[in-house]
Amino acid sequence: MTETQKVVVIGATGNVGPHAVSQLLEKGVETRALTLPDDPKINRLEEEVEVFHGDLSNPDSLDRCLEGATSVFLMWPFFTLDVETVPEVLKRIKQHTEKIVFISSIGVQNGIETVDNRCHAFVEQEIERLGMEWTFLRTTGFCCNAGTGWAHQIRSEGVVRSPYGNAARSPIHEADLAAVAVRALTEEGHSGQRYVVTGPEALSQIEQLRIISEVTGREARWVDVPHESASTNMIESGWPAAYAEGALEYFAILSKEPERVTSTVEEVLERPARTFRQWAEENSGLFR
């Protein structure tokens, strides 16, 4: 790491961005966060970060934030991904820096998500096409998905109604994913890597719920929702139809074969990955 490093975090107020910002600041890296002008989650960021307002749908709005950048952390909300805008945003980034770390998906690794799906695989393709100095973090589901998806149900009823309770995922702690990204952003030796980033164990959704119950002391049970009903609910809540169906089909696969577990976190960070139980203990207040 050098004193001249300046990292831009795009997606700064999401589930991983705040951890990346915090860890970059701890390393003494000059850190900029790109946010929407009316971002309701701006309080997730530490005061020391330099905040710039911009919108991925308007590439011209990124220039001030990118000026002088040595690397870029990119997390693109897939619901807002536009195939016309992606190449323009990436070209704008490349005008300022070649180095980019993109938070991608394990779906690209296992072939379930294709370029035609116009999501993570498409962004990866465009980054490679431009010849940038890239690192792709192909990640599994985040531990915090249990909070955003289940917390209200647990607090209100003690029942989680969702599809495929036996689907076994290897959820990654968001702070671990951010730490791998920070290494790739600030150190040499990670360019051209397609890291598959997972948690340390595969747990079914029912097992995850059981851990939350043990940690909080609040008993909760799982009720499976049929595939068709879940698809309808997801689409009505804003999911693109193709992505909703793809996600559910993947969960159906994971009901029979657990998601892959890798040692990437331990290899890159030289320490064990955090467990889902650790995440639940840190965030137990969400469920009470």
Side-chain angles (χ1 to χ4, degrees):
M1 191 187 78
T2 66
E3 294 181 359
T4 59
Q5 284 191 321
K6 182 182 295 184
V7 177
V8 173
V9 179
I10 300 176
T13 62
N15 293 317
V16 183
H19 293 287
V21 166
S22 177
Q23 293 173 30
L24 285 165
L25 291 171
E26 287 177 4
K27 288 173 70 74
V29 176
E30 185 176 343
T31 307
R32 292 179 170 182
L34 181 73
T35 73
L36 293 171
D38 55 350
D39 194 329
K41 300 176 182 177
I42 191 69
N43 60 354
R44 290 184 174 183
L45 298 178
E46 298 187 26
E47 293 182 358
E48 295 86 347
V49 68
E50 192 174 5
V51 176
F52 287 77
H53 297 310
D55 192 329
L56 292 175
S57 66
N58 177 15
D60 289 340
S61 69
L62 309 182
D63 281 329
R64 286 188 61 248
C65 186
L66 291 169
E67 186 176 350
T70 55
S71 60
V72 169
F73 169 104
L74 176 62
M75 189 165 189
W76 200 311
F78 69 84
F79 286 169
T80 67
L81 193 150
D82 179 83
V83 295
E84 301 295 330
T85 307
V86 168
E88 296 305 315
V89 168
L90 295 176
K91 288 177 185 176
R92 193 61 57 97
I93 291 173
K94 190 179 180 183
Q95 288 175 5
H96 297 273
T97 178
E98 297 279 345
K99 191 169 186 177
I100 186 169
V101 175
F102 174 55
I103 307 300
S104 187
S105 167
I106 195 172
V108 182
Q109 183 74 21
N110 58 30
I112 290 177
E113 185 188 314
T114 66
V115 171
D116 291 341
N117 201 22
R118 297 295 193 262
C119 196
H120 301 96
F122 177 72
V123 179
E124 284 194 17
Q125 173 187 268
E126 292 302 300
I127 290 173
E128 288 193 74
R129 187 178 62 80
L130 284 174
M132 301 180 76
E133 183 185 342
W134 51 263
T135 307
F136 299 148
L137 304 187
R138 293 174 171 175
T139 181
T140 55
F142 302 156
C143 289
C144 69
N145 290 347
T148 56
W150 304 348
H152 175 72
Q153 296 183 70
I154 292 173
R155 291 195 306 266
S156 60
E157 299 182 73
V159 177
V160 172
R161 294 180 172 84
S162 197
Y164 298 109
N166 288 321
R169 302 214 70 179
S170 49
I172 178 73
H173 193 299
E174 303 77 48
D176 280 347
L177 178 57
V180 174
V182 167
R183 289 289 182 96
L185 287 162
T186 62
E187 299 177 2
E188 299 299 323
H190 303 283
S191 296
Q193 295 293 326
R194 297 177 174 88
Y195 288 131
V196 180
V197 188
T198 80
E201 58 186 340
L203 297 167
S204 72
Q205 297 193 93
I206 292 173
E207 289 172 328
Q208 293 176 42
L209 182 60
R210 185 178 301 124
I211 289 171
I212 291 171
S213 293
E214 292 171 359
V215 167
T216 61
R218 180 181 176 84
E219 190 63 32
R221 61 188 178 89
W222 185 277
V223 174
D224 254 338
V225 173
H227 183 115
E228 294 75 15
S229 298
S231 179
T232 298
N233 292 338
M234 293 166 73
I235 294 169
E236 289 179 349
S237 68
W239 284 61
Y243 207 95
E245 193 59 30
L248 290 170
E249 289 175 359
Y250 183 49
F251 271 60
I253 293 171
L254 297 182
S255 295
K256 301 173 183 177
E257 182 178 348
E259 194 166 51
R260 180 180 175 185
V261 174
T262 71
S263 57
T264 301
V265 171
E266 188 164 8
E267 292 170 1
V268 174
L269 303 182
E270 300 178 324
R271 64 161 176 79
R274 295 174 174 92
T275 65
F276 182 81
R277 182 177 291 274
Q278 286 175 284
W279 178 89
E281 289 170 346
E282 294 168 8
N283 295 275
S284 61
L286 293 173
F287 307 99
R288 293 193 175 100

